[in-house]
Amino acid sequence: MGVWLRGRKPASEHSIVAWEQEHELVLPTLYKELLSVHDGGLLAKNHFSVSEPTSYGLADAEIYTLAGLAELQMAIPQEDDVDLPGRQVYFHQDGDRYIGLDYQTDAPRVIYVDFETLQTLVVAESFAAFIDSLYFSPFPVESVPRYPLVKVEQMLALANVAKTLQILELLEDCEDKSWYLARIDGLLHSEESPYQQIGVTLLENQIFYFRRKLDESRVTAMLEWLESQHIWPEKVAELRKEWED
């Protein structure tokens, strides 16, 4: 399994050099190589071992994404609570938990910092060693409603049809309807009919039970797309009638 699961367009060599010159820092060689493939995105692996318990658990911590150039963070509000010497560049955030490069040494180490519990751990002596230590372990699907959406994104990118439906049904009352409709829209635009059909099923649930929370123009556009592609026409006709009544 490679490093990337899904990501944005590659960062150019020029943009990487410009970032380093602006911030007067040199990114690890492997990080620059990964950016030249995707300028940030979802990772294929999601865990790494830790030397002491964290808020994630006794023996490991989690990671879902790797930041692109524009997402790398050096100044964050929580830093006032943890007095870390030197300079840090954070490439992953989950709430108050960050993973980043610690430039106290010539070759930056990778650190995990929890600004809520004020815990700081060195998790790898180099970025390459950190990437090499990552491993995949599935997250329990039944706990999906408690997960941050970026974690869910990683799960969905790895899910088959049945698990995709299971995950999104558990999140049908998700408050971020823009995010949720975007996931449905992605299913409707899939080239595989099973994903299209569960997209229609999920859209039906939204129209029937959460209509007042939905963006009218977005739902209308989705129905128009389904009609233009002749996807499950009888069901879509029912949805159109329900939506317009």
Side-chain angles (χ1 to χ4, degrees), residues 89-104:
V89 178
Y90 298 104
F91 55 76
H92 180 269
Q93 178 186 1
D94 177 15
D96 289 319
R97 298 173 287 203
Y98 290 75
I99 307 167
L101 301 166
D102 178 23
Y103 280 85
Q104 292 185 64

Side-chain angles (χ1 to χ4, degrees), residues 170-212:
L170 287 169
L171 292 172
E172 65 179 5
D173 61 349
C174 174
E175 291 188 7
D176 189 344
K177 288 301 178 187
S178 177
W179 177 88
Y180 195 82
L181 289 179
R183 304 290 77 72
I184 294 177
D185 200 36
L187 294 171
L188 298 181
H189 282 76
S190 171
E191 295 181 357
E192 300 180 50
S193 59
Y195 285 102
Q196 294 173 341
Q197 292 199 3
I198 65 171
V200 173
T201 298
L202 293 165
L203 180 59
E204 178 182 26
N205 291 343
Q206 291 298 300
I207 290 174
F208 271 83
Y209 301 111
F210 304 97
R211 178 173 181 152
R212 293 182 180 180

Side-chain angles (χ1 to χ4, degrees), residues 27-120:
L27 291 171
T29 299
L30 179 57
Y31 205 125
K32 291 187 280 191
E33 291 175 357
L34 293 175
L35 291 174
S36 70
V37 178
H38 291 299
D39 189 16
L42 294 172
L43 293 171
K45 299 178 182 179
N46 53 16
H47 287 86
F48 58 95
S49 299
V50 289
S51 58
E52 62 184 63
T54 70
S55 55
Y56 285 112
L58 296 176
D60 54 32
E62 300 174 8
I63 185 169
Y64 325 119
T65 62
L66 195 66
L69 287 172
E71 300 164 320
L72 290 169
Q73 300 184 69
M74 284 158 286
I76 56 176
Q78 297 97 321
E79 282 183 318
D80 293 338
D81 299 325
V82 178
D83 186 19
L84 294 175
R87 300 179 69 183
Q88 289 77 39
V89 178
Y90 298 104
F91 55 76
H92 180 269
Q93 178 186 1
D94 177 15
D96 289 319
R97 298 173 287 203
Y98 290 75
I99 307 167
L101 301 166
D102 178 23
Y103 280 85
Q104 292 185 64
T105 53
D106 291 337
R109 303 176 299 179
V110 176
I111 59 172
Y112 164 88
V113 186
D114 187 329
F115 288 100
E116 182 177 6
T117 63
L118 307 184
Q119 181 184 31
T120 303

